[in-house]
Amino acid sequence: MPETGNRALHIAAIAGDGIGPEVVDAALPAIVAAAAGEGTSLEFTKLPYGAEHFLQTGETMPDHAFEQLTAEADAIFLGALGDPRVPTNEHARDILLGLRFRLDLYVNFRPCRLLHPDLCPLRPPASGTRHIDFAIFRENTEGLYLGRGTSSDEGTDDEVHVAHEVHSAKKVERIITAAFTWAHRHGRSRVTMADKSNAVPAHRLWGRVFDRVATAFPDIEAEHRYVDALAMELVRDPDRFEVIVTGNLFGDILSDLGAELVGGLGVSPSANVHPGRLGLFEPVHGSAPSLVGTGAANPMAAILTGALMLDHLGLPNGAERLERAVRSALAERITTPDLGGTYSTTGVGEWVADRVRGD
Ligand code: NAD
Ligand code: IPM
Ligand code: MN
């Protein structure tokens, strides 16, 4: 972790596609202000990689850019990748999944926290007050995402694709350990592991490793759910969940479900990390092509992603400043249309940045 205080940190920004550049531009001033409040200046270098660059040059992310990143950046901040002009999504595979894999960012940390009670689409619980605050630990380096397998007779009636889903003991163990360690450090009392071992024999590895790792954390309840039942229970009673650990694909799906429970993709951040190493920070949402240029993209997910980045960079107070400012914006209804407001992407970004500066 870099030293902090009266120094500059270098952030490589990949704004990417669709609403990516809009939310990144709207979020940066607030993030810069929050770091400045902690005596740290952030220097952003914008990198051009994304669909447009790919279509113009044929280049996704060249090796020299990757090497420069790893040599110079303290963190990578990414908007979104995905463009209808690249239906294969090959540039996103290379850039986004490429960074996750090459940097071995095995923890995809996706907190789902209800920052304002009105944001939850569910009826209030019997107790009266909703309190949703769980974190998804998504395995980020294997599963089906490796894209391994074979294809034959493509384009014919006999077309067959075999996709290998990879689960290796060491990689399952490190993500489960990360989930328990985080739970322990944050005073959480339960970790829920989700798999589909009743149908997919390979998933039994998750149960064995989970039980073993759990013995090192006797104060934390270790519970198992099949992922289909977990999806159901997350809607029925989200308040009871604290930490969820699961594989790559299930984590992807559950994180959009979790996002919607707390206000949607417009307010849901994520961090791709390997403790002690260069991390990649991106909202959970994608490039939302239909919102491009409308000013309706919510920048709060990107701002809260900035908070996760500052926390990782050793600036937890800066992270708290950002979160406080977003909570104030929500309380005062300074929001984009997804949350029922009339503010624009830049309007929300400016309001939050001003609030951070005045904090
Ligand atoms: P999406 O997240 O872009 O959009 C899903 C829905 O959420 C849409 O209705 C969209 O309008 C809304 N939404 C998303 N972000 C929002 C925001 N900030 N404010 C308000 N509303 C928001 O998912 P999709 O439509 O399935 O995918 C679009 C493209 O994005 C695809 O190419 C996909 O592969 C890509 N994608 C990229 C990432 C990433 O870069 N991390 C993540 C998810 C999807
Ligand atoms: C996400 C996205 C990506 C994923 C896509 C764009 C490859 O959905 O970050 O959640 O599946 O990981
Ligand atoms: Mn996703």
Side-chain angles (χ1 to χ4, degrees), residues 209-340:
V209 175
F210 186 62
D211 292 346
R212 188 168 70 231
V213 173
T215 59
F217 297 88
D219 297 337
I220 299 176
E221 181 193 347
E223 72 174 9
H224 170 258
R225 290 286 186 276
Y226 297 119
V227 68
D228 47 351
L230 177 60
M232 175 277 293
E233 208 175 343
L234 275 171
V235 175
R236 194 177 64 188
D237 188 12
D239 302 38
R240 70 176 294 283
F241 292 96
E242 301 189 28
V243 177
I244 292 171
V245 62
T246 189
N248 206 339
L249 181 61
F250 295 160
D252 178 47
I253 298 165
L254 291 175
S255 56
D256 273 31
L257 170 54
E260 197 58 25
L261 294 171
V262 297
L265 290 169
V267 293
S268 297
S270 94
N272 303 267
V273 296
H274 181 139
R277 294 203 195 167
L278 174 64
L280 164 67
F281 300 85
E282 40 145 6
V284 174
H285 68 70
S287 56
S290 68
L291 298 184
V292 175
T294 64
N298 189 343
M300 287 175 172
I303 294 169
L304 294 167
T305 294
L308 296 183
M309 181 174 76
L310 294 191
D311 200 35
H312 187 74
L313 290 170
L315 298 169
N317 294 333
E320 277 169 30
R321 281 168 193 269
L322 285 173
E323 192 186 306
R324 267 199 304 278
V326 170
R327 282 183 190 271
S328 302
L330 292 168
E332 297 188 31
R333 301 192 184 282
I334 314 295
T335 57
T336 42
D338 54 312
L339 301 183

Side-chain angles (χ1 to χ4, degrees), residues 23 86 105 143 158 185 196 207 242 332 349 352:
V23 297
V86 188
L105 303 174
D158 295 321
R185 287 199 188 133
K196 191 61 190 163
E242 301 189 28
E332 297 188 31
V352 174

Side-chain angles (χ1 to χ4, degrees), residues 5 19 24 33 38 58 72 77 82 133 250 262 277 310:
I19 62 167
V24 167
E38 303 305 315
E72 293 173 9
F77 190 73
D133 183 1
F250 295 160
V262 297
R277 294 203 195 167
L310 294 191

